[in-house]
Amino acid sequence: CRGRVNPSLNYAQIAERAEGYSGSDLVLVCKEAAMRPLRRLLMLADEAGSLASGVMPDAVSEEDFDAAFATTKSTVRTHSNRYTEWEQEFGSA
């Protein structure tokens, strides 16, 4: 996840939560987490009717990752039962 990230972000906890996620799943999690501060800024701009010059989105926080993990499910976990059934029926390749 590139860009502004809260320095107190607990990377070890994020890594634990990422267990069972594929690389492409993690890209989606990071993109979703990165978009949340921008969405908050855009909502403020909508409410105010404009956005002051030089205003930047907040840093990506732990809460942003919490929400991103809640909305981005692991495709590995989703499909693991299908792979297990295939292996039981046809054997491993």
Side-chain angles (χ1 to χ4, degrees):
C1 298
R2 291 181 234 156
R4 295 170 29 110
V5 177
N6 189 321
S8 67
L9 194 65
N10 186 340
Y11 290 100
Q13 182 182 24
I14 291 171
E16 284 179 28
R17 293 186 69 184
E19 183 71 31
Y21 281 69
S22 70
S24 61
D25 293 339
L26 292 174
V27 168
L28 292 175
V29 168
C30 288
K31 285 183 179 181
E32 178 61 27
M35 285 300 296
R36 293 183 54 79
L38 182 59
R39 288 186 191 117
R40 285 193 297 271
L41 183 64
L42 292 174
M43 283 186 354
L44 288 173
D46 265 355
E47 291 170 3
S50 67
L51 192 59
S53 178
V55 175
M56 298 290 291
D58 295 332
V60 178
S61 68
E62 197 109 11
E63 292 79 22
D64 295 322
F65 273 97
D66 290 343
F69 275 111
T71 59
T72 308
K73 302 302 177 198
S74 165
T75 58
V76 174
R77 288 185 188 142
T78 302
H79 298 297
S80 66
N81 289 340
R82 292 174 58 197
Y83 297 135
T84 303
E85 290 171 8
W86 174 273
E87 185 177 20
Q88 288 173 351
E89 186 172 343
F90 301 106
S92 66

